[in-house]
Amino acid sequence: MKLWGGRFTGEQNELMKQFNDSFKFDRRLYAVDIQGSQAYASALHAVGLLSAQELASLRSGLHIIKDEFDTGKFERNFGDEDIHTAVERRLTELIGDAAGKLHTGRSRNDQVALDMRLYCMNEISKTVSLLETLQHSLIAQAEANLSFMMPGFTHLQPAQPILFSHWMMSFFWMFERDRARLNDALKRTAVSPLGAGALAGSPFGIDREKIAAELGMAAIFMNSMDAVSDRDFVAEFLFTLSMIAVHISHLAEDIVLFSNPAFKYLQIGEAFSTGSSLMPQKRNPDAMELARGKTGRVISSLFNVLIVLKGLPSTYNKDLQEDKQALFDSVDTTEMVLSIIAGVINSIEVFPENMLAQLTEEMLATDIADYLVEHGVPFREAHQKVGEVIKFAEEKDISLSEIPVSALNHISSKFDADVHKIFDFMRAISKKDSVGGTAPQAVKKQIEMAKEKLGM
Ligand code: ARG
């Protein structure tokens, strides 16, 4: 028996049944679907549309169904086209006619909008806590390796010396913004559409505010057509997941690079590495490659949903059913990736001597220019002079610190004997003591602020 069978006489085409079937993927909404129905049943009772007895039997029926799903005992019937019809069909089997009252003034249009919102609320919270776990791992590694020096890169070319902990913490802040984005998205997601009906609203005077409060939603929709139409909250969540995936891909790429034997600044734990079936020496950073690779599907899901939404006519259209697999896939993928990456970060072993070995005096060229600036030379001119110093060292095939002061004085009279103090990497790092800089004191302060963000 179909929910909407009244006006039909013939059978539905078999292929059409499969085409229309969303139960195979939207069954994962069962808990939120039932949660929404429990709240709606109370609201119907409050306006006298359900007797106390009917409410009690609806409540217990819904409870049984939830239990059946939880324990894997729910049996689908091939007439069930989606989770909503499946629950209602089963409810009718369990409690009889009272089940038919649950849909008073409610449509699957406001129901599915509610389910998706409740689902997103849960998953947003889960993602927030996974991000926090990862952020804790980043802080722990930054603290454990606070003062190790390494080359910092721009254009992937050696640029200036930095602290390893500074590099690690840079990701903390990316994930911190992602976390803020999620918490912000939550406000727009926790808005109840119940009472919108199919599109026009409810004639039964149900207390929409009360339902929302019962469902932990902070607000209700101000327009019933908007309530059933939009999936902007899905797109917003997907954007944030995409941004997380992009940040992770960036972290993954750095780790792939830094664990390459040519760098070997660090090594990820064996638990997260794999070998090669052919080359016995290999220790591959598969975890990071997969994390980087999965960014593609997360971003595609965002596009998938935006494209589904584009150009739809007002209110509910079945196209909207296509929001689910994209969302579920991105949620599953991101949750898995976040858990893996936190594990990888915890497993990292750092090799400070290798990082140190790759620091070169050329990375202090800017510090030489800064020295001239401190001696009154305008920066542009200082930059030019240091260029000449580097050319001189290259021509003579000596290192920068080997150039005698007398030779430096041919380039600028401002060079003094104390110029050699520049060739000290920790000095260069320590001088970058502006807020957010790489100086050990600044990084310590940064870590303190980060801990505060996590309420540590
Ligand atoms: N399975 C549908 C979906 O996911 C539920 C809403 C169906 N509404 C309707 N009027 N046919 O969007």
Side-chain angles (χ1 to χ4, degrees):
M1 207 24 207
K2 288 232 174 294
L3 285 181
W4 37 260
R7 66 153 350 265
F8 290 83
T9 45
E11 275 295 301
Q12 193 172 41
N13 174 285
E14 267 314 311
L15 204 53
M16 177 56 200
K17 261 190 211 164
Q18 288 175 40
F19 192 49
N20 196 33
D21 171 36
S22 61
F23 183 83
K24 52 185 179 280
F25 49 84
D26 67 15
R27 62 174 298 150
R28 84 155 73 185
L29 298 173
Y30 77 87
V32 288
D33 190 74
I34 290 169
Q35 185 192 355
S37 289
Q38 292 280 20
Y40 194 65
S42 304
L44 289 176
H45 171 64
V47 293
L49 285 165
L50 285 180
S51 69
Q53 210 184 346
E54 286 169 326
L55 176 65
S57 93
L58 274 171
R59 280 203 170 293
S60 73
L62 288 167
H63 194 83
I64 292 170
I65 299 172
K66 163 102 179 3
D67 209 56
E68 289 179 350
F69 272 106
D70 283 345
T71 55
K73 290 197 189 97
F74 186 89
E75 277 178 38
R76 92 163 285 187
N77 173 322
F78 280 86
D80 302 338
E81 60 180 52
D82 56 25
I83 181 64
H84 326 292
T85 54
V87 171
E88 195 176 341
R89 186 261 312 152
R90 180 71 184 129
L91 195 60
T92 311
E93 288 168 8
L94 288 169
I95 68 165
D97 285 348
K101 295 199 173 181
L102 186 56
H103 249 292
T104 313
R106 186 175 68 161
S107 153
R108 275 185 293 159
N109 299 353
D110 51 350
Q111 188 177 3
V112 72
L114 176 74
D115 290 6
M116 288 296 279
R117 284 174 181 276
L118 291 172
Y119 172 81
C120 285
M121 284 162 63
N122 291 337
E123 299 306 323
I124 286 174
S125 303
K126 217 184 274 176
T127 312
V128 165
S129 81
L130 287 167
L131 276 173
E132 285 167 1
T133 305
L134 173 55
Q135 288 177 300
H136 277 109
S137 306
L138 293 168
I139 291 179
Q141 281 289 7
E143 277 193 311
N145 302 291
L146 193 91
S147 50
F148 295 146
M149 298 184 282
M150 68 183 267
F153 299 85
T154 65
H155 309 258
L156 203 47
Q157 304 300 313
Q160 290 186 312
I162 54 165
L163 290 186
F164 173 85
S165 51
H166 194 48
W167 165 70
M168 189 110 275
M169 287 303 292
S170 67
F171 292 96
F172 174 93
W173 300 103
M174 295 176 208
F175 296 126
E176 182 59 19
R177 286 191 298 280
D178 292 332
R179 206 161 66 89
R181 264 186 279 274
L182 286 169
N183 283 323
D184 200 52
L186 191 57
K187 292 183 220 150
R188 283 175 291 278
T189 304
V191 181
S192 173
L194 271 195
L199 76 164
S202 166
F204 297 114
I206 58 161
D207 188 344
R208 299 193 53 219
E209 305 261 6
K210 190 148 176 265
I211 303 179
E214 194 175 331
L215 293 169
M217 297 175 120
I220 59 171
F221 263 92
M222 284 302 130
N223 183 303
S224 60
M225 293 174 73
D226 179 27
V228 296
S229 289
D230 212 345
R231 296 292 182 267
D232 53 356
F233 64 101
V234 174
E236 192 173 359
F237 188 17
L238 283 172
F239 168 73
T240 308
L241 293 178
S242 300
M243 206 60 248
I244 292 171
V246 168
H247 285 149
I248 283 178
S249 74
H250 170 28
L251 171 61
E253 171 56 22
D254 275 4
I255 290 179
V256 168
L257 191 70
F258 294 160
S259 61
N260 181 293
F263 287 77
K264 197 130 191 226
Y265 296 171
L266 51 85
Q267 178 166 284
I268 67 178
E270 277 191 4
F272 295 97
S273 310
T274 50
S276 157
S277 50
L278 182 88
M279 300 164 283
Q281 86 283 11
K282 295 274 276 184
R283 177 159 169 166
N284 294 330
D286 289 36
M288 302 322 258
E289 296 163 72
L290 283 168
R292 189 177 57 190
K294 285 181 192 292
T295 310
R297 58 200 284 178
V298 179
I299 296 173
S300 327
S301 292
L302 169 64
F303 285 179
N304 183 337
V305 167
L306 287 174
I307 294 165
V308 166
L309 297 181
K310 183 198 170 291
L312 283 182
S314 274
T315 87
Y316 183 81
N317 298 275
K318 195 63 174 261
D319 313 48
L320 293 177
Q321 182 163 288
E322 292 294 315
D323 62 352
K324 293 179 189 58
Q325 283 156 298
L327 176 65
F328 298 161
D329 187 69
S330 274
V331 164
D332 291 347
T333 303
T334 312
E335 288 179 1
M336 170 74 107
V337 167
L338 281 171
S339 307
I340 290 279
I341 299 295
V344 170
I345 296 297
N346 290 334
S347 81
I348 281 179
E349 187 187 345
V350 182
F351 303 109
E353 62 289 358
N354 296 341
M355 301 195 260
L356 199 59
Q358 291 198 354
L359 289 174
T360 62
E361 288 179 357
E362 282 70 32
M363 291 180 214
L364 299 172
T366 314
D367 296 82
I368 307 176
D370 292 345
Y371 171 94
L372 289 177
V373 166
E374 279 162 12
H375 288 73
V377 181
F379 182 76
R380 271 295 146 242
E381 190 188 327
H383 188 286
Q384 171 72 30
K385 296 285 179 200
V386 178
E388 290 170 36
V389 169
I390 288 172
K391 200 163 123 227
F392 180 84
E394 269 174 14
E395 279 166 8
K396 300 274 182 235
D397 197 22
I398 55 174
S399 72
L400 292 175
S401 61
E402 283 166 353
I403 308 177
V405 179
S406 57
L408 287 173
N409 281 143
H410 283 297
I411 296 170
S412 169
S413 61
K414 303 287 183 183
F415 285 116
D416 271 324
D418 68 347
V419 66
H420 285 105
K421 72 181 181 202
I422 293 174
F423 300 104
D424 171 348
F425 297 114
M426 192 45 98
R427 175 189 175 274
I429 287 175
S430 299
K431 281 180 84 84
K432 311 293 184 316
D433 61 358
S434 53
V435 175
T438 193
Q441 282 314 317
V443 174
K444 272 186 202 149
K445 184 155 289 144
Q446 183 188 156
I447 292 175
E448 258 169 54
M449 284 167 62
K451 284 180 164 178
E452 219 167 276
K453 292 276 183 197
L454 293 183
M456 288 171 77

